[in-house]
Amino acid sequence: MMDRISVCVGAEVMVSGPPNLVPQKELESIGVRVIKNVDEVLKIDSANCEAIHSIAVMEFQEGNLREAERLLKKAIRVNPMASRYYTNLGRVLKAKGRVERSIQAYKMAVK
């Protein structure tokens, strides 16, 4: 059985549950491996939808809507029961002007 992997994405640490914000330098000083590339995360743990989701949120915040949408859809394929993935997909689609698709995503979030 594989131990639970803690993944640091930017300055967010994904362990279990909600992310804890920890300065990246502090993490590195205690030997936490910082992973910023979703492909690298997936090589370690291909089902780490939390890491995928976290990176998608960061991409959205940076205005990279196409990449955010791609990653959110990937996270949804891994875990279609996570309502926050659909909620964030709705936000991305709304920002892209795709209102009807955004509404569909929001509806999926509340199912």
Side-chain angles (χ1 to χ4, degrees), residues 2-78:
M2 189 171 159
D3 290 336
R4 177 123 175 105
I5 296 174
S6 296
V7 178
C8 177
V9 183
E12 269 188 350
V13 179
M14 304 302 295
V15 184
S16 60
N20 302 306
L21 296 178
V22 179
Q24 183 172 331
K25 287 182 181 183
E26 185 177 326
L27 292 169
E28 291 170 344
S29 73
I30 59 171
V32 172
R33 181 174 173 205
V34 177
I35 302 172
K36 295 182 180 179
N37 182 309
V38 70
D39 295 323
E40 190 176 345
V41 171
L42 294 176
K43 284 179 189 175
I44 296 168
D45 180 4
S46 63
N48 195 324
C49 50
E50 287 299 320
I52 298 167
H53 175 256
S54 182
I55 293 169
V57 169
M58 288 173 31
E59 293 291 347
F60 176 68
Q61 291 170 344
E62 293 175 7
N64 301 322
L65 302 180
R66 180 183 291 184
E67 183 65 3
E69 180 181 0
R70 183 186 76 78
L71 291 170
L72 286 164
K73 287 179 177 179
K74 187 176 214 170
I76 288 168
R77 281 192 303 274
V78 175

